[in-house]
Amino acid sequence: MPEAADEANARPGAHMSAEIAAQPQMFADLLAAHAAVAEVAARITERRPRFVLLAARGSSDHAALYAKYLTEVLLELPAGLVSASSTTLYGARPDLREVLVITVSQSGGSPDLVEVTRTARECGATTVAVTNTPHSQLNTVAELSVDVRAGAEQAVAATKTYSATLLSLYLLVDAVRGGSGAAAASVPDLASSTLESTRTGVEDAVARYRFADEIVTTGRGYSLATASEAALKLAETSYVSARSYSGADLLHGPVAAVDADTAVLAMISSGHGGGAMREVLEAVHARDADLCAIGSAARTVGASHRIEIPECAEELAPVLEVLPVQRLALGLALAKGEDPDHPRGLRKETRTR
């Protein structure tokens, strides 16, 4: 019934809901295309880069932050995030020989990222585009490219393109170190389990936080990317004042502003990053904040609310952690009478220079 399908797609949040649900199969499709990522990794390995720079904006910037941790921990190479304006506004042309520049952009059309990538290649860098748009301008200027294979995304808020980018970056970095991607083989099944097992916890969290005016998100290590993405998703879909902090930074001052009127979403999965969050959450709990712990180690800390996810390798946890976060953003937007498919004043692609 075409009319029924059109009516279903017209419901607020219909696209975002469908795209969240599509992620397990998308992960499986991405893993099946591992050979293409391995080819790019082989080219990178031949160049033996000594430093990695990552360029991105918006949700892709959080994926780049995740890749920074992957690079520093798994490859033991120094990594940094590009300041695009040093090129686009100030015209800087640094010596980038022996540097790998990875530009992450779902659309591949942001003028500043295209300019940064073109300049980096001219300055001697090995350039890689990681994008959901394989025929984009970014792919034209980059030497190498990785297709995140998420398919068309209708909702303005990125969901499946974000998680597909995370998994693509993991597979790329893992292949550069000589891995086969085997540790990620269970991700599709774990994602299905996460979406199903967290449904009630997310619904309870929506009811709990629908009237929250201020939310702080926090995490450490790999999960800092999830905390950053959580703040963005909540701000752009529910118009909540959401701020993200590294757990370490939260203790260095901002925790003083946390009180009983503050909702705190803490990412805490098994591993070194989650372990380092315990002191942080003790401080937050002592200030009577309403704490929601999200992750495979959520059950191990004192919290007002918990959303537990299945356990996996720590470096893959952000791929799963973000799923209930996306559902929470969707649910809060709908509870507030908003349409997260079409946030006020936002477009799918933001063009900056």
Side-chain angles (χ1 to χ4, degrees):
M1 296 285 290
E3 291 183 3
D6 290 344
E7 183 179 346
N9 288 334
R11 290 199 306 267
H15 290 307
M16 187 174 177
S17 179
E19 287 158 3
I20 291 171
Q23 289 172 101
Q25 182 58 54
M26 180 196 68
F27 293 147
D29 294 342
L30 187 53
L31 289 168
H34 180 267
V37 179
E39 285 184 20
V40 175
R43 298 280 298 279
I44 293 170
T45 303
E46 290 173 2
R47 308 291 176 84
R48 301 176 64 85
R50 297 297 304 153
F51 195 91
V52 179
L53 284 172
L54 296 127
R57 293 289 192 195
S59 285
S60 294
D61 200 34
H62 306 149
L65 177 59
Y66 170 65
K68 182 176 183 293
Y69 275 93
L70 289 173
T71 301
E72 293 174 340
V73 177
L74 302 187
L75 300 183
E76 297 186 327
L77 285 176
L81 302 177
V82 168
S83 299
S85 60
S86 64
T87 296
T88 61
L89 300 184
Y90 296 98
R93 296 180 63 87
D95 183 349
L96 295 177
R97 288 171 294 180
E98 297 187 325
V99 175
L100 171 64
V101 173
I102 301 175
T103 305
V104 186
S105 172
Q106 292 152 17
S107 70
S110 182
D112 57 346
L113 296 181
V114 170
E115 185 175 343
V116 164
T117 306
R118 180 189 293 111
T119 302
R121 189 173 181 181
E122 292 171 353
C123 292
T126 297
T127 53
V128 181
V130 178
T131 177
N132 192 45
T133 311
H135 302 296
S136 68
Q137 189 177 5
L138 178 61
N139 286 58
T140 301
V141 301
E143 179 183 358
L144 305 169
S145 63
V146 172
D147 182 359
V148 307
R149 301 173 185 270
E153 189 172 58
Q154 301 299 318
V156 170
T159 53
K160 65 177 184 174
T161 53
Y162 175 75
S163 60
T165 301
L166 294 184
L167 185 54
S168 296
L169 288 166
Y170 170 80
L171 293 174
L172 179 63
V173 172
D174 180 63
V176 169
R177 69 168 174 170
S180 65
S186 61
V187 165
D189 289 339
L190 290 173
S192 293
S193 176
T194 299
L195 287 172
E196 182 59 34
S197 66
T198 60
R199 190 179 301 274
T200 299
V202 169
E203 289 173 352
D204 291 346
V206 168
R208 188 178 192 96
Y209 302 118
R210 64 177 297 184
F211 298 113
D213 294 322
E214 180 181 351
I215 296 179
V216 170
T217 67
T218 184
R220 289 201 67 179
Y222 296 108
S223 295
L224 177 57
T226 314
S228 300
E229 178 64 7
L232 175 60
K233 281 291 160 288
L234 292 169
E236 71 181 352
T237 59
S238 303
Y239 318 114
V240 173
S241 176
R243 294 170 294 152
S244 177
Y245 296 100
S246 156
D249 289 335
L250 185 60
L251 288 183
H252 283 79
V255 72
V258 172
D259 57 26
D261 295 325
T262 309
V264 177
L265 303 186
M267 309 303 148
I268 177 165
S269 288
S270 300
H272 296 294
M277 283 295 294
R278 299 186 193 284
E279 179 186 2
V280 180
L281 300 189
E282 287 173 3
V284 168
H285 188 67
R287 299 190 67 83
D288 296 324
D290 193 309
L291 174 62
C292 177
I294 302 174
S296 58
R299 65 186 179 281
T300 67
V301 297
S304 310
H305 188 68
R306 298 178 183 84
I307 300 176
E308 296 184 35
I309 67 168
E311 191 163 339
C312 66
E314 183 181 4
E315 58 266 30
L316 283 163
V319 180
L320 302 180
E321 289 170 343
V322 77
L323 302 180
V325 166
Q326 293 170 348
R327 279 259 182 88
L328 177 59
L330 169 65
L332 284 174
L334 295 176
K336 291 172 177 287
E338 303 291 348
D339 182 0
D341 286 344
H342 306 286
R344 287 178 265 157
L346 293 181
R347 297 179 299 171
K348 186 65 179 171
E349 181 182 349
T350 302
R351 303 181 69 82
T352 56
R353 184 179 184 281

